[in-house]
């Protein structure tokens, strides 16, 4: 049984400090801030790193992958809910499931794809511990999206392609939004692409650094 309070209780001040940092960096949505406050990030990390869970940094989760930085999770989540309540969200790059946990409390249903089997399984366990049941998991290469579950009100990609995959654009609902880091290894732009009918508008939200979006799936 994982410890939901434990570190969470002893580091309440550290958690509040993180919230302050998110607000200082411009996160305004009270809904997002409340969810960030009540989502225990330490349960997503190995015990040896759990004491760093409430620092505003990405941390390793094995397989050369990372848990996203809280500020980036908050920023992407805020972009998802900007236009109000949302029904279906597709996430590409489940990782340990931290961003999934935040989005699952903002949307009615979440579909999430991860190419590394072990991480997908771990995320399932973590999200079960949190009691979140509105999530469907898939172990696959997510760069083609999840056509038979679409169209989606929002798609978030937590790994960076060099170019926006066309398939993701076509799986956006009318009025839907794609939030995606695009670029090379060391520098990417976090883009917000909005669909209105057959028109797509693009805006750059931030500079970010995500792991790359890779092709194919990994069976371990
Ligand atoms: N969302 C996570 C961050 C995970 S890091 C969090 O909140 O912490 C990005 C993840 O994307 C990694 O687990 C990586 O394996 C996965 N990934 C990379 N390319 C992918 C692809 N083509 N399809 C699905 N997942 C992919």
């Amino acid at each position: 049984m994982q410890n939901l309070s434990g570190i969470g209780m002893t580091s309440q001040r550290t958690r509040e400090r993180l919230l302050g940092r998110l607000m200082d960096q411009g996160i305004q949505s009270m809904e997002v801030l409340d969810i960030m406050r009540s989502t225990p990030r330490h349960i997503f990390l190995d015990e040896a790193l759990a004491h760093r869970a409430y620092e505003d940094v990405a941390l390793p989760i094995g397989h050369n992958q990372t848990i996203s930085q809280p500020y980036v999770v908050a920023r992407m989540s805020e972009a998802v809910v900007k236009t109000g309540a949302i029904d279906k969200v597709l996430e590409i790059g489940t990782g340990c499931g931290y961003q999934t946990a935040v989005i699952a409390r903002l949307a009615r249903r979440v579909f999430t794809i991860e190419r590394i089997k072990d991480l997908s399984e771990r995320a399932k366990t973590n999200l079960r511990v949190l009691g979140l049941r509105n999530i469907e998991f898939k172990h696959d290469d997510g760069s083609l999206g999840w056509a038979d579950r679409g169209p989606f009100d929002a798609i978030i990609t937590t790994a960076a392609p060099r170019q926006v995959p066309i398939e993701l654009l076509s799986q956006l609902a009318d009025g839907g939004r794609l939030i995606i880091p695009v670029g090379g290894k060391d520098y990417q732009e976090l883009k917000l692409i909005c669909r209105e009918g057959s028109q797509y508008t693009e805006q750059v939200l931030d500079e970010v650094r995500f792991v790359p979006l890779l092709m194919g799936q990994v069976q371990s």
Side-chain angles (χ1 to χ4, degrees), residues 69-86:
Q69 180 190 350
Y71 165 71
V72 174
V73 169
R75 189 88 171 95
M76 291 178 85
S77 304
E78 199 170 57
V80 167
V81 292
K82 201 94 192 177
T83 52
I86 40 165

Side-chain angles (χ1 to χ4, degrees), residues 65-68 93 95 99 114-116 119 141-142 158 211 214:
Q65 304 303 323
T66 55
I67 183 171
S68 295
Q99 169 83 73
E114 169 58 54
R115 69 187 282 274
I116 300 175
L119 291 179
D141 176 350
T158 67
V211 296
L214 300 172

Side-chain angles (χ1 to χ4, degrees), residues 3-198:
N3 189 350
L4 276 179
S5 51
I7 281 195
M9 292 300 283
T10 55
S11 64
Q12 199 56 43
R13 271 176 51 200
T14 322
R15 288 172 80 154
E16 285 306 321
R17 206 179 306 134
L18 174 60
L19 258 291
R21 222 188 115 92
L22 298 180
M23 287 189 271
D24 289 348
Q25 290 179 98
I27 304 298
Q28 289 178 343
S29 160
M30 285 315 290
E31 195 183 10
V32 169
L33 288 167
D34 281 346
I35 294 173
M36 296 298 295
R37 177 181 281 115
S38 59
T39 302
R41 190 168 181 248
H42 62 277
I43 70 152
F44 295 92
L45 290 162
D46 277 352
E47 237 168 90
L49 277 175
H51 67 286
R52 299 192 59 195
Y54 299 96
E55 292 177 20
D56 192 22
V57 290
L59 292 165
I61 55 170
H63 301 273
N64 278 324
Q65 304 303 323
T66 55
I67 183 171
S68 295
Q69 180 190 350
Y71 165 71
V72 174
V73 169
R75 189 88 171 95
M76 291 178 85
S77 304
E78 199 170 57
V80 167
V81 292
K82 201 94 192 177
T83 52
I86 40 165
D87 185 25
K88 285 200 284 181
V89 175
L90 172 66
E91 177 191 42
I92 295 154
T94 319
C96 59
Y98 177 53
Q99 169 83 73
T100 325
V102 174
I103 286 294
R105 292 174 60 194
L106 292 165
R108 201 165 68 83
R109 278 183 294 169
V110 178
F111 302 86
T112 185
I113 312 178
E114 169 58 54
R115 69 187 282 274
I116 300 175
K117 189 161 188 210
D118 176 51
L119 291 179
S120 182
E121 295 299 324
R122 247 197 272 167
K124 261 185 222 170
T125 308
N126 290 337
L127 294 160
R128 206 178 304 127
V129 167
L130 294 181
L132 295 166
R133 308 204 190 285
N134 56 338
I135 306 163
E136 202 175 321
F137 297 84
K138 186 176 182 181
H139 167 228
D140 207 346
D141 176 350
S143 46
L144 299 177
W146 197 339
D148 59 358
R149 295 291 191 279
F152 302 98
D153 303 298
I155 300 178
I156 55 178
T157 304
T158 67
R162 291 206 170 254
Q163 284 175 340
V164 177
I166 301 286
E167 289 78 4
L168 301 186
L169 295 174
S170 66
Q171 288 173 32
L172 278 180
D174 194 6
R177 31 191 45 220
L178 169 63
I179 297 127
I180 186 166
V182 182
K185 190 164 136 295
D186 297 318
Y187 170 84
Q188 302 132 20
E189 289 181 337
L190 184 63
K191 294 190 175 184
L192 168 64
I193 299 172
C194 299
R195 176 176 193 172
E196 297 295 338
S198 57

Side-chain angles (χ1 to χ4, degrees), residues 189-208:
E189 289 181 337
L190 184 63
K191 294 190 175 184
L192 168 64
I193 299 172
C194 299
R195 176 176 193 172
E196 297 295 338
S198 57
Q199 301 284 96
Y200 294 85
T201 53
E202 186 179 304
Q203 187 185 330
V204 175
L205 296 180
D206 235 313
E207 286 173 20
V208 287

